[in-house]
Amino acid sequence: MILSTAFSLGVSLLGQATSAEAPSPPAIESPSRTAPPQSPIAELNTGPRTRLRGNWVGRQPVSPSLKIVVMAGHADSQGMHGSGTAGAAVDQRGEAPMDPRMRDELFWNRKVRDAVIALSKQKGLNIIGYDPGALSIAKASDPRTNWSVARRLSRQGNYILEIHFDAYSPHGYGSGLIPALNRNLNRVDESLAQSFGRFPRFFRGGLGGPRRGISILEIGMLEGILEANLRNPKTREATIQAIALQVTDALMLGVRGKTSSNPPPGVVDNAHPTSNPQTNSEVE
């Protein structure tokens, strides 16, 4: 009952957390009341794929009505160890964070999560979002956390996808999927991997999120062209929508079973356990 209530609360708060949790962040957008015109991006550039390639293949078909739950990585761990990367703009160039309440990674994770949900619904996918409703939750076992909700919903057969941006160089690895560890790998995992790249399944010894049923999608390292296009008010929305389209298209191909089931050539599962507080879910 507590878990169900927490989940319902989280879903109802999705899209409202920014206004409910704290005052609006400092003005870093255009000072005019009218939003600046959006400039199209020539081509989405998410940077290099992960250098640590996995040898797994997702072959299990899924139901066309598979429920997909999308979460923002680090949504409940701000101000704590494992709160995500601040991005190169903040850490290396001293620019102001997009929102002082959170790391820039979470700011973009939330934006992409919401865009993926909206676009995927338009395209007919059975998809919902989850937000824990609080930026800092001390206990991972708290029923509101991404981990707790993911564990329960994964056991019910839902596909849990958590959006992340990787740390900047030299800490980050690039784009790719870190698949769930508690189930057989399926065509949705495979489709996302073919689109973004694939991390070794036991990356860093097995992350806490994947052990609870979460597939972690690294969009790319938060630096360079990708970060610049996100931070630029003129290209921001176009960049978010382009990322959301790539994720949505991969989800659709996976649900429809239209991905190749052949193992990728020459891949080696060669990840070594590492520790970097900027990167993703804690090992626990």
Side-chain angles (χ1 to χ4, degrees), residues 43-207:
E43 182 179 356
L44 176 63
N45 186 339
T46 57
R49 293 188 174 202
T50 175
R51 303 180 299 275
L52 302 174
R53 298 192 298 172
N55 64 356
W56 56 268
V57 179
R59 292 191 174 92
Q60 183 167 304
V62 299
S63 167
S65 61
L66 173 71
K67 178 174 281 188
I68 301 168
V69 183
V70 187
M71 300 176 169
H74 309 290
D76 46 38
S77 62
Q78 296 308 290
M80 302 159 54
H81 184 70
S83 57
T85 181
V90 174
D91 275 357
Q92 295 185 328
R93 297 193 299 277
E95 297 184 26
M98 297 302 298
D99 185 327
R101 301 171 302 157
M102 64 186 73
R103 294 272 194 151
D104 270 19
E105 182 186 350
L106 176 56
F107 183 87
W108 301 121
N109 290 347
R110 288 164 57 147
K111 294 287 187 183
V112 172
R113 175 199 62 193
D114 295 348
V116 168
I117 293 165
L119 185 57
S120 296
K121 284 183 176 180
Q122 291 175 15
K123 292 180 176 288
L125 287 175
N126 182 15
I127 191 166
I128 61 172
Y130 177 73
D131 191 283
L135 292 175
S136 299
I137 302 176
K139 293 185 178 180
S141 60
D142 187 297
R144 299 169 296 168
T145 63
N146 280 9
W147 280 6
S148 292
V149 172
R151 184 196 293 273
R152 180 173 65 87
L153 295 183
S154 177
R155 287 172 175 170
Q156 296 173 3
N158 301 293
Y159 186 90
I160 318 298
L161 180 67
E162 195 172 72
I163 301 295
H164 285 258
F165 284 81
D166 204 1
Y168 50 84
S169 302
H171 308 293
Y173 295 91
S175 68
L177 186 77
I178 306 169
L181 293 173
N182 68 337
R183 56 168 172 76
N184 292 330
L185 300 185
N186 59 42
R187 290 297 185 91
V188 178
D189 297 311
E190 181 63 24
S191 184
L192 287 166
Q194 290 181 15
S195 184
F196 287 89
R198 68 188 78 222
F199 278 78
R201 191 174 186 187
F202 287 92
F203 175 65
R204 292 175 60 196
L207 299 177

Side-chain angles (χ1 to χ4, degrees), residues 204-245:
R204 292 175 60 196
L207 299 177
R211 286 210 300 271
R212 292 162 174 83
I214 296 173
S215 284
I216 293 176
L217 179 62
E218 297 284 1
I219 302 299
M221 290 188 283
L222 199 52
E223 63 180 6
I225 296 174
L226 175 59
E227 186 180 30
N229 282 339
L230 286 168
R231 280 186 151 252
N232 185 345
K234 294 183 178 180
T235 56
R236 179 172 306 153
E237 187 59 29
T239 302
I240 291 170
Q241 290 301 318
I243 294 171
L245 179 61

